[in-house]
Amino acid sequence: MTDIRYLAPRTLDEAVGAFAAAAGAARILAGGTDLLVQMRNGVAKPGTIIDIKKIAEMTSVEQTADGGFRIGAAVPAAVLAEHPRFGKVWPGVLEAINLIGSKQVQGRASPGGNLCNGSPAGDSVPAMIAAGAVVTVQGPKGRRSMPVEAVPAGPGRTTLQPGEIVVSFTLPPRPAGSGDAYLRMIPRTEMDIAVVGCGVNLTMAGGVVTAARVGLGAVAPTVLLVEDAAKALVGSRLEDAALEAAAAACRAACKPINDKRGTIVYRTKVAGVLLKRAAAIAAQRAGGN
């Protein structure tokens, strides 16, 4: 049996140093809800496990001076759900994160782990993309930031450079008249992988959409930012024609596969359906009709 080295650094610099020194033989343990399953199935065989949950910066939730939020990459979903303000400001993002596994799993599962697992069906990722979240990473060459949609590179792959660790997510302040929502379609009633996931974030004034972002998951090799869908919504009062144009843009963006949970035709159709439903919920939360 191969020995596995376990490290629990107290600082980010220490974690980055250990991760880089392992030269690809280490895995980050943010919550372990994916990693431990992969190890049990023989998919992942790390020589070193680096547990980042003892690093304060990685496990804190802070409201920034401008009204936004900074969420540590290793913050458990259950902790985020208990935050007194976050769910009121970003209900759609919280909905998505709270769909990761069971209540027990949510005590460990984190948005950073969900992103870095690289699954096109990760629930938190479309909602984070719709929110316009920015991810901060740190590696041997220092810190850098990028939009969440720039991280996924394909199933099980990310654009992170060797030795880089996701540190946090920054969500922008909410303008007045804003709302977001996340919906997914699954075959079972709970604890299943999304056949399609859709996040919508809207800002409205006088019943008119002034800004929009749409994130779409489980319909392509990576989670998608669907800019054409957002453009179809901006300037509208969410009339049927605008919603259908946005739904059509989502269907056009789909590049799904056939698998046991859904066919290409089915996933493509559902993407448009979820866009319309999520937009309606987001508008209601924004104060629209």
Side-chain angles (χ1 to χ4, degrees), residues 79-104:
V79 170
L80 195 59
E82 294 173 354
H83 192 276
R85 287 277 299 151
F86 183 78
K88 296 176 182 178
V89 179
W90 289 103
V93 174
L94 185 59
E95 284 169 343
I97 292 173
N98 281 346
L99 287 172
I100 303 172
S102 64
K103 292 295 183 185
Q104 296 88 341

Side-chain angles (χ1 to χ4, degrees), residues 2-7 18-28 35 39 44-50 162-163:
T2 303
D3 290 335
I4 299 175
R5 188 184 182 201
Y6 171 81
L7 301 175
F19 194 36
R27 291 290 296 270
I28 298 296
L35 176 60
M39 290 173 63
K45 298 178 181 180
T48 301
I49 293 175
I50 302 171

Side-chain angles (χ1 to χ4, degrees), residues 24-191:
R27 291 290 296 270
I28 298 296
L29 179 71
T33 58
D34 287 309
L35 176 60
L36 296 181
V37 173
Q38 292 167 1
M39 290 173 63
R40 178 173 292 181
N41 292 337
V43 176
K45 298 178 181 180
T48 301
I49 293 175
I50 302 171
D51 188 344
I52 59 173
K53 278 201 183 291
K54 298 185 185 300
I55 302 172
E57 185 177 5
M58 310 281 279
T59 55
S60 63
V61 182
E62 302 172 358
Q63 190 155 16
T64 57
D66 61 3
F69 282 89
R70 194 202 68 83
I71 306 168
V75 170
V79 170
L80 195 59
E82 294 173 354
H83 192 276
R85 287 277 299 151
F86 183 78
K88 296 176 182 178
V89 179
W90 289 103
V93 174
L94 185 59
E95 284 169 343
I97 292 173
N98 281 346
L99 287 172
I100 303 172
S102 64
K103 292 295 183 185
Q104 296 88 341
V105 167
Q106 289 164 15
R108 291 286 304 179
S110 66
N114 200 224
L115 175 64
C116 292
N117 189 48
S119 171
D123 282 305
S124 70
V125 187
M128 285 282 194
I129 288 174
V134 172
V135 64
T136 297
V137 304
Q138 184 167 324
K141 298 180 180 180
R143 284 200 175 199
R144 64 189 179 106
S145 296
M146 56 185 154
V148 169
E149 60 266 25
V151 176
R157 298 186 295 113
T158 71
T159 60
L160 299 183
Q161 299 300 309
E164 285 188 327
I165 298 173
V166 172
V167 178
S168 62
F169 298 86
T170 301
L171 281 77
R174 300 288 268 162
S178 296
D180 72 321
Y182 175 76
L183 294 174
R184 71 174 181 181
M185 192 281 159
I186 57 174
R188 299 185 298 179
T189 57
E190 59 183 341
M191 286 191 295

